[in-house]
Amino acid sequence: MHRRLIVPSALAASLLLAIPASAADYVPGAAGIGDAYYPASGNGGYDVSHYDLRLTYQPKTDLLEGTATIVATTTQKLSRFNLDLGLKVSEVRVNGRKAAFATSGDHELEVTPAAPLDKGKEISVVVRYAGKPSELKIGGWSAWHRTPDGGVAAQEPDSAVWWFPSNDHPLDKATYDVSISVPDGTQAISNGVLQSQSSKLGWTRYNWRSNKPQASYLATLAIGKFDITTDKTAKGLPVLNAYSRDLGDNAGAARASIERTTEVAEWLEEVFGPYPFNALGGYVPNVTSGYALETQTRPFYSPRQFAGGSNVSVVVHELAHQWYGDSVSVKGWKDIWVNEGFARYSQWLWSEKEGEGTAQELADYVYALHPADDPFWTVKPGDPGPDNQFDIAVYDRGALALQALRNAVGDQHFFAILQGWPQKFAHGNASVGDFVKYAEQVSGKPLAGLFDTWLYQPSKPAASAAAGKRSARKAVVGAPGQARTKSQATPAKPAQPKSWKKIAATNSVHDHDH
């Protein structure tokens, strides 16, 4: 009698053969979507199309209770999948049937449905959960601001895990219905259009709808006592601005700035093309932070942004993001320049419009402000790394890259690029490389070298690149864009543009208190 020896690998192979091929095909979705900077962000195996969030919040205790219904489509055969959420879960259902669930890491909710899920199928996921968002810290920081009369969710690059389950990465955008019940006398603000509100037994429910694809970090929630102004644009878009009633000395400056939202948006339409969403506005809660954030349709502003008086430049920055960052979102967080470089440059264009310094004058000033040995030049806006993602160089050096592009291709092609880009990638995602290719396509010029110089080289570029053809003329010039006589031995330091102080006051605009 001969006994056959089965080695472990052969045994494993025989066992696999014993399992029906169809069952072996079902595997867990990835615990991350594949972002180079934040490997744990997002998840694999499905694509969300809609979030329906039904919430109740008690300001006195900071207790948030929620039922989230997520409509998604599977992108592979799934035995299990993850959602991102930091609050405590009591029940999960998939396609109406109870599912097993477990938690891991800082915010991973692992869901095992009662039956495996086929590829390409629409599914519904219902998650019941509760908790106090202010008690949740991830990496030592929080996206949830506790205020004297409520709470606010607004943070980047992560915000959703503090208040709803999601596929938390810009690559998976979806539409939103947010319904939030709060005690009478308290308001609840979110993205998009207020569909309805009703009161019952001492509670008021607000129903908000954001009907265009929205990244999870751009979803916002603000509960408190606000003074609210409403209006409509000339094209009929609803405008809603909200101000905490206890902003103190910053109240007037905040209103003087945010109430110009419609004016700024109409001007930005001339620069970037049609406004991409169904509502407009902004809100200023009583928070202690100092940053602002482009939360979709309704940017968040900290009161400290107005500590030095009114500042329309910060409104320009956050509204520019509605095109660059919100409608066209990053493919990965390393592509942050296609958000921040353009939002900063929009501030330079606003300065140009207002007669307070041209974009070229601002470029000359910024270029001269940083000597060659300044660490400013070692940050690469095209791929700054997670630690430098919101470094000032991503903003100012990023804007310098756009001025260099403008000088290289001329105003006609440059502004065609600025308008065409948000149309080509509307409500989608794009990378720095995508922008370079698009700029080359529109201008008909090779631009890879220019972008490599300004976005990827860890050194101060030659001055002539920022000034374009002007510095190459036979006439002697000083700092880029400023004429001087032959008798001058060294370039004169560029004068500080009138707009500079207001623009510089927004340098902390995305200093997210991490």
Side-chain angles (χ1 to χ4, degrees), residues 196-263:
S196 63
Q197 81 179 64
S198 59
S199 295
K200 184 178 181 181
L201 300 176
W203 291 78
T204 302
R205 182 166 290 280
Y206 296 82
N207 298 297
W208 293 90
R209 172 166 289 175
S210 194
N211 69 348
K212 299 295 184 184
Q214 177 175 288
S216 51
Y217 86 96
L218 297 173
T220 192
L221 180 65
I223 300 105
K225 295 181 179 180
F226 297 94
D227 288 331
I228 293 175
T229 65
T230 59
D231 201 353
K232 286 190 176 181
T233 67
K235 295 181 180 178
L237 266 181
V239 183
L240 186 146
N241 299 320
Y243 310 89
S244 280
R245 297 174 188 172
D246 51 0
L247 294 178
D249 291 345
N250 296 328
R255 287 172 182 262
S257 307
I258 309 303
E259 289 301 310
R260 295 184 69 180
T261 290
T262 298
E263 173 194 352

Side-chain angles (χ1 to χ4, degrees), residues 352-437:
E352 195 167 286
K353 168 192 173 291
E354 294 289 283
E356 296 183 342
T358 66
Q360 183 63 59
E361 289 167 341
L362 283 158
D364 294 341
Y365 186 76
V366 169
Y367 182 86
L369 194 63
H370 300 280
D373 60 352
D374 191 326
F376 174 89
W377 299 109
T378 65
V379 176
K380 300 178 288 184
D383 188 0
D387 292 338
N388 291 319
Q389 189 177 348
F390 301 106
D391 189 273
I392 190 61
V394 175
Y395 297 71
D396 279 352
R397 186 176 174 181
L400 283 171
L402 289 171
Q403 185 61 29
L405 173 65
R406 183 177 178 179
N407 290 332
V409 303
D411 276 11
Q412 183 176 352
H413 281 141
F414 179 72
F415 286 102
I417 291 167
L418 289 192
Q419 285 211 7
W421 170 264
Q423 308 308 311
K424 181 176 176 62
F425 293 95
H427 307 300
N429 301 79
S431 67
V432 175
D434 292 328
F435 183 83
V436 174
K437 291 175 184 176

